[in-house]
Amino acid sequence: MTTTRRLGAAVAIAAAVACASSGCTVIPVSGPYTVSEVGPGDPLTKSFQRMIAIPPEPTWGPDETIRGLQAAMAAYPDDPTILPQYLTSEALGKWSPSGPVTVIADAFEVVSQGPRDDRGAVEKYEVKAQWVASIKEDDSYAPTAGPWDRPFELVKAQGGGYRVRSLPTGLLLTNSDVTRAYRPTNLYYMSGISQDKFVVDRVRLRLKPTESFAQTILERLLKPETAALEGAVTTSFPAGTKIESIRWSGEERVVINLSGPLDPLDLSVEHSLAAQIRYSLSRNEVAKGRVIEVQLDGEPYFVDRPESDEGWLDDSGDSAYYVSKGAVHYMGKDGPAGVVPGPAGEPHDGYSNYTLSKEGNSAPLVAATTSTGISVAGLTPEGQWQEVIQGTGLTPPSWHEDGSLWTYDTKNGFLLRYDPASGRGPERVSAPKLQGLDVTRLRIARDGVRVAVTTGKNTVQIGALTHDVSGTMLGNVQSLTTTEVDRGILDVAWADDEHLLVLAGSKAGQTLTQINVGDGETVGIPLEYQLTRLAAAGGRVLAEATDTKDRTKVVELNQDRQSWTAKIEKDAGTPLFPLG
């Protein structure tokens, strides 16, 4: 087995040529081109580069042919005419572009496997690369790791060159192809639990030369949510809704014309529809700061102004607290700010894993683990500690934005929900995907839908609270990250509705990473202290830190996201945000 030479570019890539989003024509002379697609000053578009592939050349060998085929795959959604020219009629009849898009590292090898038969009529090759990700048919982006290798069969073509006789189904793109032509995009759907909350759904959308990015976003918003949120969210767009046109009218107004079974007299739909459109556009830096005028069949429907912030994303509050000697304290901007009223502000032994409910019209509740279960107290002078869930194998409690308290009973394999408003004991919630797993933590996001679950010592999974006629269930569970065998997960905390902070450590040291739960994008955060607990909200990150003498303090990540500042220097730990 021999390896053909590695080519940084098997065929020349010309310098990018600027052209407007209306399109331009380029005559290739030596290989596939990337062509810039831009919309100067247009708030509805995104600049990007479009691949223009060329047919196989008679002088190309197998390596160049396979690389040209891969470039044709990158160009296929915009121009499907080039790729078939690389295939034999047999391959063309079997190959399909459907299915997940495979994303590999830019540097890949074409490895010869020798002739397939005695006559050498069929030559077999293998493409070897590092597997980066898959873009699934619902547009979700799933990072992967490890090697990727697949067989390709080639035959010599009449007139010179090669054609591909056999290849894996689906499109094969490099990481650079995806960076060039796709954009991470946040779509917003309504929570299936609370209709006044929105949940972000992260997808990868391909930019199209034939339409503005604003239209691409809204066309995708008309489709169902990704599998990660299936059954957990709803939409204001009734089935059959269409985007007839989107145009930029003047400097400050975007006009969207819809058609379909919308009721112009239903103000509740108008309200949520406006928020879905506003967030899905502006949070992706499209039409940001513009007035959005929505028409229905060309007639005025409603006008949404950029200052209309309904607080649909997160109104849980960012007041900070901490625990000292078992007592809950307020935390000011620069240090201690006093003890909370009532028994929750008094020292207690044997209480741990404190967590706070959402702030609202009434004082929040604090929950904590004891030796016999989970107890709750109000942050008021008359508040009393009351055991609400009994058990000795319970995960640290987590508050839901609807006011309920959740934990997982590891001894019996039950997910439990306690509603203080009902006055009844905890109820069981179905969680079939957790059966048989070693559940160690369960943290509900502030959107009230996503749930982070740690299992064993080093795995984080993400699920969603789904709803159907049978009730609520924790479903859609899928792996988010797994640390090395010798590194255990010490704590997790929701930074916001789409990012999870993961603290991991071993004898060799600790790591703190922020992971986008929608696409796995990971950012490392430098550490200056030995951390044990995390809390985050509103862009702030607090942590319990220990020094060399095992004394605890509360530290805060600075705005530069590179350094930390000690906020409570002595006898302080377990930093808390409401729902954090």
Side-chain angles (χ1 to χ4, degrees):
M1 181 174 68
T2 61
T3 302
T4 63
R5 67 189 185 279
R6 294 192 186 192
L7 299 178
V11 284
I13 304 294
V17 180
C19 63
S21 59
S22 58
C24 63
T25 301
V26 174
I27 301 175
V29 294
S30 60
Y33 280 75
T34 55
V35 177
S36 295
E37 300 280 358
V38 296
D42 188 340
L44 304 181
T45 65
K46 290 269 189 181
S47 298
F48 70 105
Q49 290 184 323
R50 178 163 57 98
M51 176 70 77
I52 297 181
I54 66 169
E57 297 284 349
T59 57
W60 286 359
D63 188 287
E64 289 89 349
T65 301
I66 290 177
R67 292 179 186 275
L69 170 68
Q70 192 281 311
M73 288 188 177
Y76 186 84
D78 298 326
D79 182 3
T81 65
I82 301 298
L83 190 146
Q85 299 180 50
Y86 282 84
L87 307 180
T88 65
S89 58
E90 178 184 356
L92 189 58
K94 295 180 179 179
W95 181 82
S96 170
S98 61
V101 173
T102 299
V103 185
I104 60 174
D106 293 347
F108 62 88
E109 293 180 296
V110 179
V111 182
S112 172
Q113 302 293 303
R116 176 94 180 247
D117 55 27
D118 293 338
R119 295 175 301 167
V122 178
E123 297 184 26
K124 188 174 181 180
Y125 289 82
E126 196 170 60
V127 173
K128 292 178 174 289
Q130 284 298 308
W131 196 357
V132 174
S134 292
I135 302 177
K136 300 181 181 179
E137 291 176 287
D138 64 1
D139 300 309
S140 60
Y141 183 92
T144 56
W148 184 91
D149 53 82
R150 297 293 188 275
F152 288 73
E153 292 182 358
L154 279 71
V155 295
K156 290 183 178 180
Q158 291 183 356
Y162 287 82
R163 296 297 179 269
V164 178
R165 194 185 81 158
S166 176
L167 72 165
T169 191
L171 294 174
L172 176 65
L173 304 186
T174 67
N175 198 40
S176 289
D177 292 333
V178 174
T179 300
R180 182 189 65 251
Y182 288 74
R183 293 294 178 269
T185 306
N186 286 348
L187 305 175
Y188 289 86
Y189 296 89
M190 292 185 297
S191 165
I193 299 175
S194 175
Q195 294 296 302
D196 63 349
K197 285 287 182 185
F198 277 116
V199 181
V200 61
D201 198 9
R202 182 87 158 179
V203 295
R204 282 288 201 283
L205 296 185
R206 184 182 177 91
L207 299 170
K208 302 175 183 178
T210 57
E211 67 184 30
S212 69
F213 190 46
Q215 179 141 359
T216 301
I217 292 172
L218 295 187
E219 293 285 0
R220 178 59 184 83
L221 191 62
L222 295 180
K223 298 177 182 179
E225 65 279 1
T226 64
L229 292 177
E230 184 178 1
V233 297
T234 61
T235 182
S236 298
F237 291 94
T241 303
K242 294 182 180 180
I243 311 294
E244 296 295 339
S245 65
I246 302 176
R247 59 187 174 88
W248 177 29
S249 176
E251 289 295 321
E252 300 296 333
R253 185 174 292 254
V254 173
V255 181
I256 301 171
N257 185 26
L258 306 177
S259 66
L262 287 161
D263 183 355
L265 301 180
D266 190 343
L267 298 181
S268 62
V269 170
E270 172 189 319
H271 192 55
S272 55
L273 195 73
Q276 268 191 278
I277 293 173
R278 166 72 61 189
Y279 283 126
S280 295
L281 292 180
S282 65
R283 294 285 169 133
N284 294 294
E285 302 298 323
V286 175
K288 190 172 184 179
R290 265 70 177 186
V291 173
I292 296 178
E293 176 186 336
V294 177
Q295 299 176 348
L296 184 57
D297 296 320
E299 298 295 327
Y301 187 13
F302 63 81
V303 174
D304 184 66
R305 302 189 181 279
E307 65 272 10
S308 57
D309 182 5
E310 302 295 338
W312 293 53
L313 297 182
D314 182 12
D315 62 354
S316 59
D318 61 355
S319 300
Y321 302 77
Y322 68 97
V323 178
S324 177
K325 299 178 179 179
V328 180
H329 293 249
Y330 296 109
M331 181 174 166
K333 181 179 180 180
D334 298 312
V339 67
V340 302
E346 299 172 0
H348 289 276
D349 292 328
Y351 284 56
S352 63
N353 299 319
Y354 292 76
T355 184
L356 282 166
S357 69
K358 182 173 70 174
E359 292 179 325
N361 296 328
S362 59
L365 301 174
V366 61
T369 302
T370 69
S371 60
T372 58
I374 295 174
S375 293
V376 170
L379 301 189
T380 61
E382 62 276 7
Q384 297 293 324
W385 285 105
Q386 176 186 3
E387 187 169 82
V388 296
I389 303 177
Q390 294 181 343
T392 56
L394 306 176
T395 61
S398 181
W399 289 100
H400 191 281
E401 64 98 20
D402 69 0
S404 59
L405 185 67
W406 296 63
T407 185
Y408 192 81
D409 183 343
T410 60
K411 284 191 173 182
N412 299 299
F414 299 145
L415 178 59
L416 299 176
R417 176 186 183 271
Y418 169 74
D419 184 1
S422 71
R424 299 190 299 270
E427 60 177 339
R428 296 180 187 176
V429 178
S430 177
K433 294 294 185 179
L434 300 187
Q435 291 294 320
L437 298 181
D438 178 19
V439 177
T440 50
R441 296 175 192 81
L442 184 144
R443 301 290 291 271
I444 301 175
R446 289 184 178 84
D447 61 18
V449 170
R450 285 193 170 92
V451 181
V453 179
T454 60
T455 56
K457 294 182 178 180
N458 63 346
T459 300
V460 181
Q461 302 196 67
I462 298 294
L465 295 176
T466 63
H467 312 275
D468 56 26
V469 292
S470 62
T472 300
M473 180 180 77
L474 175 55
N476 305 345
V477 177
Q478 52 190 321
S479 178
L480 177 67
T481 186
T482 301
T483 64
E484 294 86 351
V485 175
D486 63 339
R487 301 187 68 79
I489 294 171
L490 305 177
D491 199 16
V492 297
W494 286 98
D496 53 38
D497 291 344
E498 58 177 321
H499 294 97
L500 189 73
L501 295 169
V502 178
L503 176 67
S506 66
K507 293 181 179 179
Q510 294 184 336
T511 58
L512 178 60
T513 54
Q514 178 175 283
I515 305 175
N516 188 307
V517 299
D519 61 11
E521 182 181 59
T522 300
V523 177
I525 298 174
L527 292 177
E528 301 175 18
Y529 298 90
Q530 193 79 4
L531 306 184
T532 54
R533 292 289 301 272
L534 300 171
R540 299 177 65 189
V541 178
L542 299 174
E544 176 184 308
T546 59
D547 60 20
T548 56
K549 297 182 179 180
D550 290 331
R551 294 174 299 195
T552 60
K553 64 176 70 177
V554 174
V555 298
E556 181 167 0
L557 182 64
N558 295 328
Q559 289 187 351
D560 62 7
R561 310 283 289 184
Q562 298 295 311
S563 57
W564 297 76
T565 298
K567 292 294 185 178
I568 315 291
E569 291 279 4
K570 185 179 179 182
D571 295 329
T574 314
L576 302 170
F577 288 109
L579 296 180

